[in-house]
Amino acid sequence: MRADLRGRLTVTLCRDLAEFTGLAAEWDALHRRCPTATPFQSHAWLHSWWLSYGTPGRLRVVLARRNGRLIGAAPLMLAHRPMPLLVPMGGAITDYFDVLVDGEDLRGAVTALERGLHAAATHTVLDLREVRPGASAHLLAEAWSGARSSLTDSTCLELPAEPIDLLIGRMTGPRAQRVRAKLRKIDKMGIECRQVPVPRVAVAIGNLLRLHELQWTGRGVNPEHLRSRFCAHLVRSTRRMVRDDEATLREFVFDGQVVAADLSLRSPQMTGGYLYGVDPGLRKRVDVSSMLLRELAREAARPGRGSLSLLRGSEQYKSHWAPVPVVNQRLLLARSSLAPVLRLREAQILARDRAAASVKSRFPAARDWRGVLSELPSAVRAPALLS
């Protein structure tokens, strides 16, 4: 059913958790209609994230409707440091931010969201991190009537959504032969890959995080991945996303023991490998990256899945597959009267990025530099610039 484009647009600001909780059904419907939505804009991911990380009183979700039908949503929250900001829900553990717009009413959704955000940002700057190229947030920035700026953010790596045989074909001849031989060895060993059903998600997430901690022992693990709030968020969100066919949780079993596990998230536009854990003993025996990527590629190659994203991080194993780097953007938006404040925020970000570059060589395996910086002594970092 096509949207009625003649009705009056209305914009509201959701600041109440109970109201946001009740949006699940229509939010999910909008998520399916949004041509640029990633898994990180699903209601399951955002609602669960807020329960683990949100601060009461700071929820700011702009909602646009036409004739009562939800056609646009901007999931934001209020931050006070280092200045008043409207920032994306999802925080540092979320790889992509975007606004949701109805593909059948694109112009109306963008117009309404711009109007609503302009009203919501009376005294604040919008600081929108990790905006993927082609995201709907870029349309919002183009329509913005005030001051704006764009900076580079994280780099994500992507592959075509193809079966493993075609991905191996992207490699040079000798390397491709080695990978095929390694996959045959995995099959000969009898390592079983099984998908985890909803009732076992909590146990399987526990296994994944335990293995993840083991694999990073002594190599600079992201401390957030070891915290109970992160575990609780993954359990809640993964349960819903597995139920709704938006995620797959896999376990790899050898001799009756779970020796590896991984979590992938998906939307109609992409499949992303989010987090994995591997027993160090298995890593010594097999090519773990090929084992994991074969299953992720099998999932991504389903019809209509778009791209296969390896998400943030430049781990060495990813480069073997000749992925394409995709650079996210950081969009700064403000009312014209707040242009000087926007420029101040821009200067803070650039100073923080220089600080990150100065310590990057110390933590080459880290997935998220914000997590690394937050753990450094105050003599090394500038605390006011970490947000």
Side-chain angles (χ1 to χ4, degrees), residues 161-230:
E162 299 174 341
I164 193 68
D165 288 342
L166 294 179
L167 294 180
I168 292 174
R170 295 163 55 87
M171 299 178 170
T172 60
R175 175 168 284 177
Q177 292 175 6
R178 289 194 295 271
V179 171
R180 291 189 182 98
K182 290 173 179 178
L183 289 174
R184 288 195 296 270
K185 178 181 178 181
I186 292 169
D187 293 336
K188 188 175 181 180
M189 287 177 62
I191 298 175
E192 175 195 359
C193 175
R194 64 190 185 193
Q195 293 189 14
V196 176
V198 173
R200 288 200 62 253
V201 163
V203 172
I205 288 292
N207 287 335
L208 188 158
L209 294 176
R210 174 181 58 82
L211 292 167
H212 183 75
E213 181 177 8
L214 281 175
Q215 82 182 36
W216 286 104
T217 299
R219 297 193 294 136
V221 66
N222 183 340
E224 187 57 39
H225 292 169
L226 308 183
R227 295 183 174 127
S228 59
R229 64 185 181 183
F230 180 71

Side-chain angles (χ1 to χ4, degrees), residues 80-341:
H80 293 300
R81 293 182 58 193
M83 62 175 61
L85 298 167
L86 285 175
V87 300
M89 291 173 62
I93 65 170
T94 294
D95 290 62
Y96 294 123
F97 167 76
D98 202 1
V99 296
L100 293 179
V101 294
D102 191 331
E104 299 176 3
D105 195 357
L106 192 62
R107 181 177 298 181
V110 172
T111 298
L113 287 179
E114 193 276 340
R115 188 174 73 201
L117 288 168
H118 203 268
T122 304
H123 305 293
T124 60
V125 172
L126 275 70
D127 186 351
L128 309 180
R129 297 211 59 172
E130 307 299 358
V131 178
R132 190 169 180 255
S136 295
H138 290 295
L139 299 177
L140 174 67
E142 291 171 6
W144 189 255
S145 58
R148 59 187 176 184
S149 179
S150 177
L151 304 171
T152 58
D153 215 334
S154 303
T155 297
C156 297
L157 300 175
E158 291 191 0
L159 290 166
E162 299 174 341
I164 193 68
D165 288 342
L166 294 179
L167 294 180
I168 292 174
R170 295 163 55 87
M171 299 178 170
T172 60
R175 175 168 284 177
Q177 292 175 6
R178 289 194 295 271
V179 171
R180 291 189 182 98
K182 290 173 179 178
L183 289 174
R184 288 195 296 270
K185 178 181 178 181
I186 292 169
D187 293 336
K188 188 175 181 180
M189 287 177 62
I191 298 175
E192 175 195 359
C193 175
R194 64 190 185 193
Q195 293 189 14
V196 176
V198 173
R200 288 200 62 253
V201 163
V203 172
I205 288 292
N207 287 335
L208 188 158
L209 294 176
R210 174 181 58 82
L211 292 167
H212 183 75
E213 181 177 8
L214 281 175
Q215 82 182 36
W216 286 104
T217 299
R219 297 193 294 136
V221 66
N222 183 340
E224 187 57 39
H225 292 169
L226 308 183
R227 295 183 174 127
S228 59
R229 64 185 181 183
F230 180 71
C231 178
H233 162 63
L234 283 191
V235 170
R236 277 191 306 265
S237 60
T238 302
R239 277 177 175 153
R240 280 182 60 185
M241 296 176 82
V242 167
R243 181 199 69 188
D244 296 339
D245 197 31
E246 296 176 336
T248 299
L249 183 57
R250 284 174 287 263
E251 291 182 327
F252 297 81
V253 181
F254 180 63
D255 282 348
Q257 299 294 318
V258 176
V259 292
D262 79 314
L263 172 64
S264 59
L265 310 177
R266 59 180 173 268
S267 67
Q269 288 70 41
M270 73 161 54
T271 298
Y274 183 70
L275 193 70
Y276 72 94
V278 178
D279 189 306
L282 181 68
R283 189 180 292 278
K284 296 177 182 178
R285 301 183 63 179
V286 303
D287 182 356
V288 169
S289 67
S290 297
M291 181 185 75
L292 296 173
L293 190 63
R294 176 167 61 176
E295 300 304 324
L296 184 61
R298 181 177 290 134
E299 176 186 356
R302 293 165 57 183
R305 286 299 177 201
S307 62
L308 190 167
S309 178
L310 303 178
L311 302 181
R312 288 180 299 185
S314 55
E315 295 90 338
Q316 185 176 6
Y317 79 89
K318 295 180 180 179
S319 64
H320 297 163
W321 299 92
V324 175
V326 177
V327 181
N328 291 343
Q329 297 296 303
R330 184 170 191 166
L331 304 180
L332 300 177
L333 308 174
R335 290 185 171 204
S336 298
S337 60
L338 293 178
V341 183

